Amino acid sequence: MTAPKPTSFHQRLMHALRGWRRRVVTGRRARADRRHLCGMNDHELRDLGIGRSEVPELLDRHRH
């Protein structure tokens, strides 16, 4: 039986690290979006065409 190729392990490791980084970046962006939208007043939200009650649903939909 032969050992796995080092490049295969390296590729799997890099793929896993890229996935982890993507999740971290996405999480940070989602938290920043939540802070920004929750900090807006009702007039600003209406200018965007959304109501305050729609903010949690929009953020959850964007996350998935």
Side-chain angles (χ1 to χ4, degrees):
M1 182 172 219
T2 61
K5 296 180 183 179
T7 57
S8 176
F9 171 76
H10 182 258
Q11 289 171 346
R12 288 193 318 268
L13 177 62
M14 292 306 296
H15 180 73
L17 290 174
R18 284 187 192 112
W20 173 80
R21 183 178 183 274
R22 188 178 327 109
R23 287 189 302 275
V24 168
V25 168
T26 300
R28 286 181 181 165
R29 186 176 301 134
R31 286 188 296 279
D33 291 347
R34 180 176 299 278
R35 280 192 306 271
H36 186 76
L37 286 173
C38 290
M40 296 176 100
N41 62 39
D42 291 336
H43 179 74
E44 293 169 326
L45 289 171
R46 276 195 307 270
D47 284 347
L48 294 175
I50 58 176
R52 183 158 305 279
S53 63
E54 297 174 90
V55 170
E57 179 186 343
L58 289 170
L59 293 170
D60 287 341
R61 189 180 328 150
H62 174 69
R63 185 176 49 170
H64 300 292

